[in-house]
């Protein structure tokens, strides 16, 4: 009776596994980030899904999420889960990079990368992350992510660098955005990375346009240059990706990897499918 929780900044996926052979139950809720949210805010945002889960017997909980930067953030999640699931004998809290590594690599080694609302990466030796080029977050980093792509698009709009045909399409879709409104959302609004990431779908819809294609390609190249290329075993290891951006832009991502002569590994939209296989194999080994 396992409960898997995988949370990003935008959404949380819950998966309940009662036996190795029965179909699992899926639940969805808003994103959780203890780096920005208080325990009270987390509780309120997850109230509906907790009500649904309260009827299930849960013995083991494995939580993976963004914002788990140290033991204090890990404690926020553990202390929130404990009273909601009093019968759970195991509550394990890890960050989203461990989720990506276990999902993509299983028990093998490899370079695990996340390209979703944000971005991250690390070398996984089959048991733990042993090497990491630290990410710098939305304002200073997140290259290759949805937040980064949206931010680059908005900057091009504000600087009047979008080609006329794209600018017309942008305004038709979003209206004429006001500079002060954008600055307010960027510096005073909640979760600016989510807001900017919402614009990245425009690039996806117009990715065949040379300007959009180059913007996407450049974002992936920067992620590889600043992070992936610096891992000591990058020449021999497969490079795996999970996250909505990696999945939906996989054709461009693969081309960039091959241009850099790197080995393309698994690319998934979400870590949850791989995590399900990983934890089922640990809980019910064949």
């Amino acid at each position: 009776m396992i409960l898997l929780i995988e949370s990003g900044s935008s959404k949380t996926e819950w998966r309940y596994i009662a036996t190795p052979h029965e179909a699992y139950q899926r639940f969805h809720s808003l994103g959780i980030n203890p780096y920005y949210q208080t325990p009270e805010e987390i509780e309120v945002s997850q109230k509906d899904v907790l009500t649904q889960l309260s009827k299930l017997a849960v013995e083991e909980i494995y939580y993976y999420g963004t914002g788990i930067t140290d033991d204090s953030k890990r404690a926020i999640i553990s202390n929130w889960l404990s009273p909601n699931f009093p019968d759970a004998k195991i509550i394990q809290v890890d960050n989203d990079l461990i989720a990506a590594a276990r999902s993509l690599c299983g028990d093998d080694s490899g370079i695990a990368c996340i390209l979703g609302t944000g971005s991250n990466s690390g070398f996984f030796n089959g048991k733990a992350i042993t090497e990491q080029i630290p990410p710098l977050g939305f304002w200073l980093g997140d290259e290759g992510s949805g937040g980064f792509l949206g931010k680059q698009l908005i900057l091009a709009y504000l600087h009047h660098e979008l080609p006329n045909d794209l600018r017309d399409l942008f305004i038709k879709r979003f209206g004429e955005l006001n500079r002060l409104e954008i600055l307010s959302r960027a510096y005073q609004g909640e979760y600016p990375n989510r807001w900017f990431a919402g614009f990245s779908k425009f690039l996806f819809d117009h990715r065949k346009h040379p300007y959009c294609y180059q913007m996407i390609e450049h974002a992936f190249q920067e992620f590889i240059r600043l992070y992936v290329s610096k891992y000591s075993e990058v020449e021999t290891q497969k490079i795996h990706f999970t996250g909505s951006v990696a999945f939906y832009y996989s054709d461009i991502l693969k081309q960039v990897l091959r241009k850099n002569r790197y080995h393309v590994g698994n690319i998934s939209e979400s870590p949850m499918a791989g995590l399900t296989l990983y934890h089922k194999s640990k809980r019910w080994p064949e």
Side-chain angles (χ1 to χ4, degrees), residues 1-6 12-19 21-28 49 51-58 272 276 280:
M1 298 171 180
I2 299 174
L3 180 63
L4 302 180
I5 309 168
E6 191 274 313
T12 301
E13 184 171 357
W14 308 65
R15 187 165 289 189
Y16 178 74
I17 309 167
T19 72
H21 304 297
E22 287 183 42
Y24 52 78
Q25 297 183 53
R26 297 176 62 182
F27 305 87
H28 294 87
V49 71
T51 299
Q52 298 176 66
L53 288 163
S54 64
K55 303 172 185 176
L56 302 176
V58 177
M272 188 54 89
T276 300
K280 285 177 70 173

PDB file of all heavy atoms in Angstrom, residues 1-6 12-19 21-28 49 51-58 272 276 280:
ATOM      1  N   MET A   1       0.845  -1.186   0.000  1.00  0.00           N
ATOM      2  CA  MET A   1       0.000   0.000   0.000  1.00  0.00           C
ATOM      3  C   MET A   1       0.881   1.236   0.000  1.00  0.00           C
ATOM      4  O   MET A   1       1.208   1.811   1.028  1.00  0.00           O
ATOM      5  CB  MET A   1      -0.926  -0.026   1.206  1.00  0.00           C
ATOM      6  CG  MET A   1      -1.881  -1.217   1.190  1.00  0.00           C
ATOM      7  SD  MET A   1      -2.774  -1.384   2.723  1.00  0.00           S
ATOM      8  CE  MET A   1      -3.757  -2.834   2.364  1.00  0.00           C
ATOM      9  N   ILE A   2       1.317   1.595  -1.194  1.00  0.00           N
ATOM     10  CA  ILE A   2       2.306   2.653  -1.387  1.00  0.00           C
ATOM     11  C   ILE A   2       1.634   3.897  -1.957  1.00  0.00           C
ATOM     12  O   ILE A   2       0.807   3.801  -2.869  1.00  0.00           O
ATOM     13  CB  ILE A   2       3.417   2.189  -2.354  1.00  0.00           C
ATOM     14  CG1 ILE A   2       4.157   0.977  -1.780  1.00  0.00           C
ATOM     15  CG2 ILE A   2       4.393   3.319  -2.628  1.00  0.00           C
ATOM     16  CD1 ILE A   2       5.156   0.395  -2.752  1.00  0.00           C
ATOM     17  N   LEU A   3       2.022   5.051  -1.462  1.00  0.00           N
ATOM     18  CA  LEU A   3       1.582   6.325  -2.017  1.00  0.00           C
ATOM     19  C   LEU A   3       2.799   7.052  -2.554  1.00  0.00           C
ATOM     20  O   LEU A   3       3.732   7.357  -1.810  1.00  0.00           O
ATOM     21  CB  LEU A   3       0.889   7.172  -0.946  1.00  0.00           C
ATOM     22  CG  LEU A   3       0.373   8.544  -1.418  1.00  0.00           C
ATOM     23  CD1 LEU A   3      -0.704   8.380  -2.497  1.00  0.00           C
ATOM     24  CD2 LEU A   3      -0.173   9.345  -0.239  1.00  0.00           C
ATOM     25  N   LEU A   4       2.811   7.283  -3.850  1.00  0.00           N
ATOM     26  CA  LEU A   4       3.873   8.050  -4.494  1.00  0.00           C
ATOM     27  C   LEU A   4       3.367   9.461  -4.755  1.00  0.00           C
ATOM     28  O   LEU A   4       2.249   9.642  -5.236  1.00  0.00           O
ATOM     29  CB  LEU A   4       4.296   7.407  -5.816  1.00  0.00           C
ATOM     30  CG  LEU A   4       4.794   5.966  -5.781  1.00  0.00           C
ATOM     31  CD1 LEU A   4       5.176   5.508  -7.181  1.00  0.00           C
ATOM     32  CD2 LEU A   4       5.983   5.828  -4.842  1.00  0.00           C
ATOM     33  N   ILE A   5       4.189  10.448  -4.442  1.00  0.00           N
ATOM     34  CA  ILE A   5       3.825  11.849  -4.664  1.00  0.00           C
ATOM     35  C   ILE A   5       4.970  12.502  -5.428  1.00  0.00           C
ATOM     36  O   ILE A   5       6.120  12.466  -4.975  1.00  0.00           O
ATOM     37  CB  ILE A   5       3.603  12.599  -3.335  1.00  0.00           C
ATOM     38  CG1 ILE A   5       2.630  11.830  -2.431  1.00  0.00           C
ATOM     39  CG2 ILE A   5       3.086  14.011  -3.598  1.00  0.00           C
ATOM     40  CD1 ILE A   5       2.592  12.352  -1.007  1.00  0.00           C
ATOM     41  N   GLU A   6       4.657  13.076  -6.572  1.00  0.00           N
ATOM     42  CA  GLU A   6       5.679  13.757  -7.371  1.00  0.00           C
ATOM     43  C   GLU A   6       5.182  15.157  -7.667  1.00  0.00           C
ATOM     44  O   GLU A   6       4.172  15.352  -8.333  1.00  0.00           O
ATOM     45  CB  GLU A   6       5.926  12.965  -8.663  1.00  0.00           C
ATOM     46  CG  GLU A   6       7.142  13.417  -9.456  1.00  0.00           C
ATOM     47  CD  GLU A   6       6.821  14.564 -10.400  1.00  0.00           C
ATOM     48  OE1 GLU A   6       5.815  14.468 -11.113  1.00  0.00           O
ATOM     49  OE2 GLU A   6       7.581  15.557 -10.411  1.00  0.00           O
ATOM     50  N   THR A  12       0.988  18.607  -8.924  1.00  0.00           N
ATOM     51  CA  THR A  12       1.397  17.449  -8.134  1.00  0.00           C
ATOM     52  C   THR A  12       0.632  16.228  -8.612  1.00  0.00           C
ATOM     53  O   THR A  12      -0.580  16.290  -8.817  1.00  0.00           O
ATOM     54  CB  THR A  12       1.107  17.671  -6.634  1.00  0.00           C
ATOM     55  OG1 THR A  12       1.816  18.832  -6.190  1.00  0.00           O
ATOM     56  CG2 THR A  12       1.547  16.468  -5.806  1.00  0.00           C
ATOM     57  N   GLU A  13       1.343  15.124  -8.809  1.00  0.00           N
ATOM     58  CA  GLU A  13       0.705  13.867  -9.185  1.00  0.00           C
ATOM     59  C   GLU A  13       0.842  12.883  -8.028  1.00  0.00           C
ATOM     60  O   GLU A  13       1.919  12.726  -7.457  1.00  0.00           O
ATOM     61  CB  GLU A  13       1.330  13.278 -10.448  1.00  0.00           C
ATOM     62  CG  GLU A  13       0.617  12.023 -10.929  1.00  0.00           C
ATOM     63  CD  GLU A  13       1.087  11.536 -12.290  1.00  0.00           C
ATOM     64  OE1 GLU A  13       1.935  12.206 -12.894  1.00  0.00           O
ATOM     65  OE2 GLU A  13       0.592  10.483 -12.736  1.00  0.00           O
ATOM     66  N   TRP A  14      -0.264  12.246  -7.689  1.00  0.00           N
ATOM     67  CA  TRP A  14      -0.316  11.255  -6.614  1.00  0.00           C
ATOM     68  C   TRP A  14      -0.669   9.907  -7.238  1.00  0.00           C
ATOM     69  O   TRP A  14      -1.541   9.822  -8.091  1.00  0.00           O
ATOM     70  CB  TRP A  14      -1.392  11.614  -5.588  1.00  0.00           C
ATOM     71  CG  TRP A  14      -1.328  13.012  -5.030  1.00  0.00           C
ATOM     72  CD1 TRP A  14      -1.503  14.184  -5.714  1.00  0.00           C
ATOM     73  CD2 TRP A  14      -1.100  13.381  -3.667  1.00  0.00           C
ATOM     74  NE1 TRP A  14      -1.393  15.258  -4.867  1.00  0.00           N
ATOM     75  CE2 TRP A  14      -1.152  14.792  -3.590  1.00  0.00           C
ATOM     76  CE3 TRP A  14      -0.867  12.641  -2.488  1.00  0.00           C
ATOM     77  CZ2 TRP A  14      -0.986  15.484  -2.405  1.00  0.00           C
ATOM     78  CZ3 TRP A  14      -0.688  13.332  -1.300  1.00  0.00           C
ATOM     79  CH2 TRP A  14      -0.743  14.748  -1.263  1.00  0.00           C
ATOM     80  N   ARG A  15      -0.013   8.850  -6.794  1.00  0.00           N
ATOM     81  CA  ARG A  15      -0.322   7.516  -7.312  1.00  0.00           C
ATOM     82  C   ARG A  15      -0.357   6.531  -6.143  1.00  0.00           C
ATOM     83  O   ARG A  15       0.621   6.388  -5.401  1.00  0.00           O
ATOM     84  CB  ARG A  15       0.708   7.093  -8.354  1.00  0.00           C
ATOM     85  CG  ARG A  15       0.362   5.806  -9.058  1.00  0.00           C
ATOM     86  CD  ARG A  15       1.204   5.614 -10.304  1.00  0.00           C
ATOM     87  NE  ARG A  15       0.831   6.532 -11.380  1.00  0.00           N
ATOM     88  CZ  ARG A  15       1.291   6.457 -12.622  1.00  0.00           C
ATOM     89  NH1 ARG A  15       2.128   5.495 -12.969  1.00  0.00           N
ATOM     90  NH2 ARG A  15       0.922   7.330 -13.535  1.00  0.00           N
ATOM     91  N   TYR A  16      -1.496   5.861  -6.005  1.00  0.00           N
ATOM     92  CA  TYR A  16      -1.692   4.895  -4.925  1.00  0.00           C
ATOM     93  C   TYR A  16      -1.620   3.485  -5.491  1.00  0.00           C
ATOM     94  O   TYR A  16      -2.351   3.140  -6.415  1.00  0.00           O
ATOM     95  CB  TYR A  16      -3.052   5.121  -4.253  1.00  0.00           C
ATOM     96  CG  TYR A  16      -3.369   4.148  -3.147  1.00  0.00           C
ATOM     97  CD1 TYR A  16      -2.751   4.237  -1.906  1.00  0.00           C
ATOM     98  CD2 TYR A  16      -4.304   3.122  -3.345  1.00  0.00           C
ATOM     99  CE1 TYR A  16      -3.047   3.337  -0.888  1.00  0.00           C
ATOM    100  CE2 TYR A  16      -4.612   2.224  -2.339  1.00  0.00           C
ATOM    101  CZ  TYR A  16      -3.973   2.345  -1.110  1.00  0.00           C
ATOM    102  OH  TYR A  16      -4.267   1.454  -0.106  1.00  0.00           O
ATOM    103  N   ILE A  17      -0.716   2.674  -4.924  1.00  0.00           N
ATOM    104  CA  ILE A  17      -0.500   1.313  -5.401  1.00  0.00           C
ATOM    105  C   ILE A  17      -0.805   0.360  -4.253  1.00  0.00           C
ATOM    106  O   ILE A  17      -0.084   0.320  -3.252  1.00  0.00           O
ATOM    107  CB  ILE A  17       0.957   1.114  -5.881  1.00  0.00           C
ATOM    108  CG1 ILE A  17       1.350   2.232  -6.865  1.00  0.00           C
ATOM    109  CG2 ILE A  17       1.127  -0.249  -6.528  1.00  0.00           C
ATOM    110  CD1 ILE A  17       2.829   2.304  -7.146  1.00  0.00           C
ATOM    111  N   ALA A  18      -1.876  -0.418  -4.394  1.00  0.00           N
ATOM    112  CA  ALA A  18      -2.285  -1.327  -3.311  1.00  0.00           C
ATOM    113  C   ALA A  18      -1.564  -2.671  -3.388  1.00  0.00           C
ATOM    114  O   ALA A  18      -1.146  -3.224  -2.372  1.00  0.00           O
ATOM    115  CB  ALA A  18      -3.792  -1.541  -3.355  1.00  0.00           C
ATOM    116  N   THR A  19      -1.436  -3.223  -4.597  1.00  0.00           N
ATOM    117  CA  THR A  19      -0.756  -4.507  -4.804  1.00  0.00           C
ATOM    118  C   THR A  19       0.034  -4.416  -6.109  1.00  0.00           C
ATOM    119  O   THR A  19      -0.189  -3.497  -6.918  1.00  0.00           O
ATOM    120  CB  THR A  19      -1.763  -5.668  -4.918  1.00  0.00           C
ATOM    121  OG1 THR A  19      -2.435  -5.585  -6.178  1.00  0.00           O
ATOM    122  CG2 THR A  19      -2.782  -5.635  -3.786  1.00  0.00           C
ATOM    123  N   HIS A  21      -0.248  -6.112  -8.717  1.00  0.00           N
ATOM    124  CA  HIS A  21      -1.003  -6.485  -9.913  1.00  0.00           C
ATOM    125  C   HIS A  21      -2.269  -5.650 -10.141  1.00  0.00           C
ATOM    126  O   HIS A  21      -2.761  -5.565 -11.250  1.00  0.00           O
ATOM    127  CB  HIS A  21      -1.369  -7.975  -9.839  1.00  0.00           C
ATOM    128  CG  HIS A  21      -0.179  -8.868  -9.653  1.00  0.00           C
ATOM    129  ND1 HIS A  21       0.822  -8.972 -10.584  1.00  0.00           N
ATOM    130  CD2 HIS A  21       0.172  -9.674  -8.607  1.00  0.00           C
ATOM    131  CE1 HIS A  21       1.748  -9.812 -10.146  1.00  0.00           C
ATOM    132  NE2 HIS A  21       1.377 -10.254  -8.949  1.00  0.00           N
ATOM    133  N   GLU A  22      -2.799  -5.047  -9.087  1.00  0.00           N
ATOM    134  CA  GLU A  22      -3.998  -4.225  -9.249  1.00  0.00           C
ATOM    135  C   GLU A  22      -3.663  -2.908  -9.943  1.00  0.00           C
ATOM    136  O   GLU A  22      -2.550  -2.409  -9.866  1.00  0.00           O
ATOM    137  CB  GLU A  22      -4.610  -3.907  -7.877  1.00  0.00           C
ATOM    138  CG  GLU A  22      -5.304  -5.073  -7.216  1.00  0.00           C
ATOM    139  CD  GLU A  22      -5.928  -4.649  -5.903  1.00  0.00           C
ATOM    140  OE1 GLU A  22      -6.515  -3.557  -5.863  1.00  0.00           O
ATOM    141  OE2 GLU A  22      -5.810  -5.409  -4.933  1.00  0.00           O
ATOM    142  N   ALA A  23      -4.655  -2.358 -10.617  1.00  0.00           N
ATOM    143  CA  ALA A  23      -4.479  -1.041 -11.241  1.00  0.00           C
ATOM    144  C   ALA A  23      -4.306   0.013 -10.142  1.00  0.00           C
ATOM    145  O   ALA A  23      -4.957  -0.048  -9.099  1.00  0.00           O
ATOM    146  CB  ALA A  23      -5.688  -0.709 -12.100  1.00  0.00           C
ATOM    147  N   TYR A  24      -3.412   0.941 -10.370  1.00  0.00           N
ATOM    148  CA  TYR A  24      -3.173   2.007  -9.400  1.00  0.00           C
ATOM    149  C   TYR A  24      -4.233   3.099  -9.544  1.00  0.00           C
ATOM    150  O   TYR A  24      -4.918   3.195 -10.557  1.00  0.00           O
ATOM    151  CB  TYR A  24      -1.775   2.603  -9.574  1.00  0.00           C
ATOM    152  CG  TYR A  24      -1.462   3.037 -10.988  1.00  0.00           C
ATOM    153  CD1 TYR A  24      -1.960   4.232 -11.506  1.00  0.00           C
ATOM    154  CD2 TYR A  24      -0.671   2.244 -11.817  1.00  0.00           C
ATOM    155  CE1 TYR A  24      -1.687   4.633 -12.797  1.00  0.00           C
ATOM    156  CE2 TYR A  24      -0.392   2.633 -13.126  1.00  0.00           C
ATOM    157  CZ  TYR A  24      -0.896   3.823 -13.603  1.00  0.00           C
ATOM    158  OH  TYR A  24      -0.622   4.221 -14.884  1.00  0.00           O
ATOM    159  N   GLN A  25      -4.351   3.904  -8.509  1.00  0.00           N
ATOM    160  CA  GLN A  25      -5.258   5.048  -8.530  1.00  0.00           C
ATOM    161  C   GLN A  25      -4.450   6.330  -8.669  1.00  0.00           C
ATOM    162  O   GLN A  25      -3.410   6.487  -8.022  1.00  0.00           O
ATOM    163  CB  GLN A  25      -6.096   5.094  -7.243  1.00  0.00           C
ATOM    164  CG  GLN A  25      -7.009   3.899  -7.072  1.00  0.00           C
ATOM    165  CD  GLN A  25      -7.876   4.022  -5.832  1.00  0.00           C
ATOM    166  OE1 GLN A  25      -8.571   5.026  -5.642  1.00  0.00           O
ATOM    167  NE2 GLN A  25      -7.837   3.021  -4.979  1.00  0.00           N
ATOM    168  N   ARG A  26      -4.943   7.247  -9.497  1.00  0.00           N
ATOM    169  CA  ARG A  26      -4.231   8.505  -9.759  1.00  0.00           C
ATOM    170  C   ARG A  26      -5.027   9.686  -9.240  1.00  0.00           C
ATOM    171  O   ARG A  26      -6.257   9.717  -9.333  1.00  0.00           O
ATOM    172  CB  ARG A  26      -3.981   8.683 -11.259  1.00  0.00           C
ATOM    173  CG  ARG A  26      -3.102   7.636 -11.872  1.00  0.00           C
ATOM    174  CD  ARG A  26      -2.987   7.817 -13.373  1.00  0.00           C
ATOM    175  NE  ARG A  26      -2.384   9.090 -13.719  1.00  0.00           N
ATOM    176  CZ  ARG A  26      -2.196   9.509 -14.973  1.00  0.00           C
ATOM    177  NH1 ARG A  26      -2.595   8.766 -15.992  1.00  0.00           N
ATOM    178  NH2 ARG A  26      -1.633  10.673 -15.216  1.00  0.00           N
ATOM    179  N   PHE A  27      -4.298  10.672  -8.717  1.00  0.00           N
ATOM    180  CA  PHE A  27      -4.908  11.907  -8.246  1.00  0.00           C
ATOM    181  C   PHE A  27      -3.998  13.066  -8.683  1.00  0.00           C
ATOM    182  O   PHE A  27      -2.788  12.883  -8.845  1.00  0.00           O
ATOM    183  CB  PHE A  27      -5.049  11.910  -6.716  1.00  0.00           C
ATOM    184  CG  PHE A  27      -5.796  10.726  -6.164  1.00  0.00           C
ATOM    185  CD1 PHE A  27      -5.122   9.546  -5.871  1.00  0.00           C
ATOM    186  CD2 PHE A  27      -7.166  10.785  -5.955  1.00  0.00           C
ATOM    187  CE1 PHE A  27      -5.804   8.439  -5.372  1.00  0.00           C
ATOM    188  CE2 PHE A  27      -7.855   9.690  -5.456  1.00  0.00           C
ATOM    189  CZ  PHE A  27      -7.168   8.514  -5.170  1.00  0.00           C
ATOM    190  N   HIS A  28      -4.597  14.251  -8.846  1.00  0.00           N
ATOM    191  CA  HIS A  28      -3.824  15.424  -9.241  1.00  0.00           C
ATOM    192  C   HIS A  28      -4.207  16.616  -8.358  1.00  0.00           C
ATOM    193  O   HIS A  28      -5.336  16.715  -7.882  1.00  0.00           O
ATOM    194  CB  HIS A  28      -4.070  15.779 -10.711  1.00  0.00           C
ATOM    195  CG  HIS A  28      -3.567  14.742 -11.665  1.00  0.00           C
ATOM    196  ND1 HIS A  28      -4.330  13.659 -12.055  1.00  0.00           N
ATOM    197  CD2 HIS A  28      -2.371  14.607 -12.289  1.00  0.00           C
ATOM    198  CE1 HIS A  28      -3.632  12.908 -12.889  1.00  0.00           C
ATOM    199  NE2 HIS A  28      -2.447  13.457 -13.049  1.00  0.00           N
ATOM    200  N   VAL A  49      -7.495  16.922  -2.454  1.00  0.00           N
ATOM    201  CA  VAL A  49      -6.910  15.610  -2.724  1.00  0.00           C
ATOM    202  C   VAL A  49      -6.714  14.826  -1.437  1.00  0.00           C
ATOM    203  O   VAL A  49      -6.873  13.596  -1.399  1.00  0.00           O
ATOM    204  CB  VAL A  49      -5.586  15.748  -3.511  1.00  0.00           C
ATOM    205  CG1 VAL A  49      -4.470  16.319  -2.646  1.00  0.00           C
ATOM    206  CG2 VAL A  49      -5.156  14.397  -4.088  1.00  0.00           C
ATOM    207  N   THR A  51      -8.656  14.891   1.109  1.00  0.00           N
ATOM    208  CA  THR A  51      -9.976  14.355   1.451  1.00  0.00           C
ATOM    209  C   THR A  51     -10.231  13.051   0.699  1.00  0.00           C
ATOM    210  O   THR A  51     -10.745  12.076   1.272  1.00  0.00           O
ATOM    211  CB  THR A  51     -11.079  15.377   1.106  1.00  0.00           C
ATOM    212  OG1 THR A  51     -10.854  16.578   1.865  1.00  0.00           O
ATOM    213  CG2 THR A  51     -12.455  14.826   1.435  1.00  0.00           C
ATOM    214  N   GLN A  52      -9.863  13.010  -0.566  1.00  0.00           N
ATOM    215  CA  GLN A  52     -10.043  11.793  -1.354  1.00  0.00           C
ATOM    216  C   GLN A  52      -9.150  10.656  -0.855  1.00  0.00           C
ATOM    217  O   GLN A  52      -9.564   9.499  -0.794  1.00  0.00           O
ATOM    218  CB  GLN A  52      -9.716  12.073  -2.829  1.00  0.00           C
ATOM    219  CG  GLN A  52     -10.608  13.101  -3.491  1.00  0.00           C
ATOM    220  CD  GLN A  52     -10.165  13.386  -4.912  1.00  0.00           C
ATOM    221  OE1 GLN A  52     -10.241  12.521  -5.779  1.00  0.00           O
ATOM    222  NE2 GLN A  52      -9.696  14.598  -5.156  1.00  0.00           N
ATOM    223  N   LEU A  53      -7.925  10.995  -0.463  1.00  0.00           N
ATOM    224  CA  LEU A  53      -6.972   9.975  -0.039  1.00  0.00           C
ATOM    225  C   LEU A  53      -7.214   9.476   1.373  1.00  0.00           C
ATOM    226  O   LEU A  53      -6.695   8.418   1.754  1.00  0.00           O
ATOM    227  CB  LEU A  53      -5.554  10.542  -0.138  1.00  0.00           C
ATOM    228  CG  LEU A  53      -5.019  10.732  -1.563  1.00  0.00           C
ATOM    229  CD1 LEU A  53      -3.823  11.660  -1.564  1.00  0.00           C
ATOM    230  CD2 LEU A  53      -4.643   9.387  -2.158  1.00  0.00           C
ATOM    231  N   SER A  54      -7.976  10.209   2.158  1.00  0.00           N
ATOM    232  CA  SER A  54      -8.193   9.847   3.558  1.00  0.00           C
ATOM    233  C   SER A  54      -8.883   8.491   3.712  1.00  0.00           C
ATOM    234  O   SER A  54      -8.805   7.867   4.771  1.00  0.00           O
ATOM    235  CB  SER A  54      -9.016  10.931   4.265  1.00  0.00           C
ATOM    236  OG  SER A  54     -10.313  11.016   3.695  1.00  0.00           O
ATOM    237  N   LYS A  55      -9.527   8.020   2.664  1.00  0.00           N
ATOM    238  CA  LYS A  55     -10.249   6.738   2.724  1.00  0.00           C
ATOM    239  C   LYS A  55      -9.352   5.548   2.412  1.00  0.00           C
ATOM    240  O   LYS A  55      -9.785   4.392   2.526  1.00  0.00           O
ATOM    241  CB  LYS A  55     -11.418   6.775   1.735  1.00  0.00           C
ATOM    242  CG  LYS A  55     -12.388   7.931   1.959  1.00  0.00           C
ATOM    243  CD  LYS A  55     -13.400   8.018   0.829  1.00  0.00           C
ATOM    244  CE  LYS A  55     -14.294   9.244   0.985  1.00  0.00           C
ATOM    245  NZ  LYS A  55     -15.235   9.393  -0.163  1.00  0.00           N
ATOM    246  N   LEU A  56      -8.099   5.806   2.010  1.00  0.00           N
ATOM    247  CA  LEU A  56      -7.202   4.736   1.601  1.00  0.00           C
ATOM    248  C   LEU A  56      -6.212   4.371   2.709  1.00  0.00           C
ATOM    249  O   LEU A  56      -5.768   5.239   3.462  1.00  0.00           O
ATOM    250  CB  LEU A  56      -6.427   5.157   0.345  1.00  0.00           C
ATOM    251  CG  LEU A  56      -7.271   5.537  -0.871  1.00  0.00           C
ATOM    252  CD1 LEU A  56      -6.383   6.034  -1.992  1.00  0.00           C
ATOM    253  CD2 LEU A  56      -8.120   4.360  -1.341  1.00  0.00           C
ATOM    254  N   ALA A  57      -5.866   3.086   2.780  1.00  0.00           N
ATOM    255  CA  ALA A  57      -4.865   2.625   3.741  1.00  0.00           C
ATOM    256  C   ALA A  57      -3.477   2.840   3.144  1.00  0.00           C
ATOM    257  O   ALA A  57      -3.162   2.308   2.076  1.00  0.00           O
ATOM    258  CB  ALA A  57      -5.080   1.150   4.055  1.00  0.00           C
ATOM    259  N   VAL A  58      -2.668   3.624   3.812  1.00  0.00           N
ATOM    260  CA  VAL A  58      -1.334   3.965   3.304  1.00  0.00           C
ATOM    261  C   VAL A  58      -0.278   3.534   4.320  1.00  0.00           C
ATOM    262  O   VAL A  58      -0.294   3.976   5.463  1.00  0.00           O
ATOM    263  CB  VAL A  58      -1.211   5.480   3.033  1.00  0.00           C
ATOM    264  CG1 VAL A  58       0.201   5.819   2.579  1.00  0.00           C
ATOM    265  CG2 VAL A  58      -2.235   5.922   1.996  1.00  0.00           C
ATOM    266  N   MET A 272       6.657   9.944 -13.062  1.00  0.00           N
ATOM    267  CA  MET A 272       5.812   9.052 -12.287  1.00  0.00           C
ATOM    268  C   MET A 272       5.769   7.615 -12.815  1.00  0.00           C
ATOM    269  O   MET A 272       5.781   6.659 -12.026  1.00  0.00           O
ATOM    270  CB  MET A 272       4.391   9.609 -12.193  1.00  0.00           C
ATOM    271  CG  MET A 272       3.495   8.836 -11.247  1.00  0.00           C
ATOM    272  SD  MET A 272       4.161   8.653  -9.572  1.00  0.00           S
ATOM    273  CE  MET A 272       3.511  10.134  -8.800  1.00  0.00           C
ATOM    274  N   THR A 276       6.917   4.498 -10.526  1.00  0.00           N
ATOM    275  CA  THR A 276       6.015   3.397 -10.204  1.00  0.00           C
ATOM    276  C   THR A 276       6.715   2.056 -10.397  1.00  0.00           C
ATOM    277  O   THR A 276       6.677   1.182  -9.526  1.00  0.00           O
ATOM    278  CB  THR A 276       4.748   3.456 -11.076  1.00  0.00           C
ATOM    279  OG1 THR A 276       4.076   4.697 -10.840  1.00  0.00           O
ATOM    280  CG2 THR A 276       3.808   2.314 -10.763  1.00  0.00           C
ATOM    281  N   LYS A 280       7.682  -0.416  -7.241  1.00  0.00           N
ATOM    282  CA  LYS A 280       7.062  -1.741  -7.268  1.00  0.00           C
ATOM    283  C   LYS A 280       8.140  -2.825  -7.237  1.00  0.00           C
ATOM    284  O   LYS A 280       7.982  -3.855  -6.574  1.00  0.00           O
ATOM    285  CB  LYS A 280       6.182  -1.892  -8.505  1.00  0.00           C
ATOM    286  CG  LYS A 280       4.855  -1.141  -8.406  1.00  0.00           C
ATOM    287  CD  LYS A 280       4.040  -1.242  -9.676  1.00  0.00           C
ATOM    288  CE  LYS A 280       3.484  -2.616  -9.907  1.00  0.00           C
ATOM    289  NZ  LYS A 280       2.558  -2.646 -11.071  1.00  0.00           N
TER     290      LYS A 280
END
